[in-house]
Amino acid sequence: MTDVTGTLSGGTLTLADDLTLTRMGYGAMQLAGPNAFGPPKDRDEAVAVLREAVERGITHIDTSDFYGPFVVNEIIKEALHPYPDDLRIVTKVGARRGDDGAWIFAREPEDLKAQVHENLRRLGVEALDVVNLRVGSVAGTDEEPLGDQFGALAELREQGLIRHLGVSSVSAAQLTEAQAIAPVVTVQNLYNLANRQDDALVERCAAEGIAFAPFFPLGGFSPLQSSILTDVAARLSASPQQVALAWLLQRSPSIVLIPGTSSRAHLRENIAATTLALPPEEITELNKIAS
């Protein structure tokens, strides 16, 4: 391991007695090949990225067994097992991958339970810290009932195989439905400077003590492109990506970030965003991007 230590800026969010997350987390999806499918181009670098993330103070790693599939969780285990006492791994279930890399919904209750056991085995743990039920897709949410699916995960929580539950790609009504079944500690939805359809849900999560983890905080497969963002970054002597991440951290105290990268240099750039304070006038300017 490299000799990298220090307290991570950005603060932490405590959601339960046994669940405190650094607000700057790490999303492991990009450790797989293109489109989160197949092995990484450089497995040694993937291992090094994970180790440096933890060494720099990140205690929140987001993953899934359908990244790869299987590859990313195997790399996490190789890099970090036995896991540090304060590390929390958040995974998700609700999809599988086709032979061609296609994303296939897999949300039958028995399949969800099988996916939990697969995550347990590949991560090498007896219980998963947080499991998110993926409901919608990157294209958006739907209003399908999720009671049977979330109930299946709640059963595994009662059995001690899952410590906490969350939901991903959900509407406000689906969050309410899930909360009637079991406590929800995290919501993971599409949200960033340019995609703010969940503004009200961000506020609700803050009021209810739920972590809101924006996926694609930098735009995902279509990176954020905005002259406003570029101009603000230039004035602050920062990169556009750092400004976009800093905006999210300042947007709500309940937001936790899970930007992904397969590069240690890019990891350091993301972490540096936690020290970037955006002046009110620049936030006003950035808010124009979504209008």
Side-chain angles (χ1 to χ4, degrees):
M1 288 188 178
T2 56
D3 183 17
V4 179
T5 58
T7 302
L8 185 71
S9 300
T12 60
L13 185 61
T14 297
L15 302 166
D17 290 342
D18 61 345
L19 185 62
T20 295
L21 305 176
T22 48
R23 293 187 65 212
M24 174 57 76
Y26 172 73
M29 183 175 74
Q30 291 188 31
L31 294 184
N35 197 31
F37 189 68
K41 180 178 180 181
D42 186 339
R43 190 181 181 96
D44 289 343
E45 180 68 6
V47 168
V49 167
L50 285 162
R51 290 176 175 170
E52 182 160 332
V54 171
E55 289 162 0
R56 288 184 177 270
I58 288 175
T59 67
H60 172 200
I61 292 178
D62 178 84
T63 186
S64 176
D65 222 25
F66 54 69
Y67 295 156
F70 318 136
V71 172
V72 168
N73 279 353
E74 291 169 351
I75 294 173
I76 290 172
K77 182 180 178 183
E78 175 186 342
L80 301 176
H81 193 277
Y83 302 111
D85 291 341
D86 62 348
L87 182 64
R88 299 293 175 259
I89 299 177
V90 178
T91 189
K92 66 184 73 63
V93 295
R96 292 191 180 276
R97 306 300 293 276
D99 291 341
D100 60 351
W103 302 82
I104 302 168
F105 286 131
R107 295 183 296 211
E108 292 299 318
E110 290 308 310
D111 197 354
L112 292 173
K113 292 180 180 180
Q115 291 171 53
V116 168
H117 283 279
E118 291 163 4
N119 276 272
L120 286 165
R121 184 172 67 254
R122 290 195 176 88
L123 288 169
V125 295
E126 295 182 354
L128 297 168
D129 293 313
V130 183
V131 174
N132 287 320
L133 171 63
R134 176 177 170 175
V135 180
S137 68
V138 296
T141 61
D142 56 42
E143 292 294 347
E144 291 294 319
L146 52 72
D148 291 344
Q149 294 89 344
F150 199 73
L153 299 182
E155 289 179 20
L156 298 185
R157 176 177 171 269
E158 291 297 321
Q159 295 171 20
L161 297 178
I162 300 171
R163 296 189 177 96
H164 301 281
L165 294 172
V167 285
S168 176
S169 296
V170 293
S171 67
Q174 288 169 327
L175 171 58
T176 299
E177 183 184 3
Q179 287 175 306
I181 298 168
V184 174
V185 298
T186 60
V187 169
Q188 188 178 111
N189 274 19
L190 173 63
Y191 189 78
N192 54 48
L193 264 172
N195 295 275
R196 297 187 56 180
Q197 63 274 14
D198 274 344
D199 270 338
L201 193 56
V202 170
E203 299 296 341
R204 174 179 169 181
C205 286
E208 297 182 9
I210 299 170
F212 188 98
F215 69 75
F216 293 165
L218 299 175
F221 300 120
S222 300
L224 294 175
Q225 300 289 332
S226 166
S227 59
I228 294 175
L229 178 59
T230 301
D231 292 344
V232 170
R235 288 195 291 271
L236 297 176
S237 299
S239 72
Q241 293 82 4
Q242 289 173 323
V243 171
L245 293 175
W247 180 87
L248 285 166
L249 285 172
Q250 290 182 228
R251 169 67 183 83
S252 168
S254 74
I255 283 183
V256 293
L257 299 183
I258 48 172
T261 179
S262 57
S263 154
R264 280 173 286 179
H266 190 197
L267 171 71
R268 295 163 195 159
E269 180 180 327
N270 289 343
I271 290 173
T274 63
T275 64
L276 181 61
L278 302 179
E281 62 272 17
E282 300 294 11
I283 292 177
T284 299
E285 190 70 10
L286 291 167
N287 286 342
K288 297 177 182 178
I289 293 174
S291 62

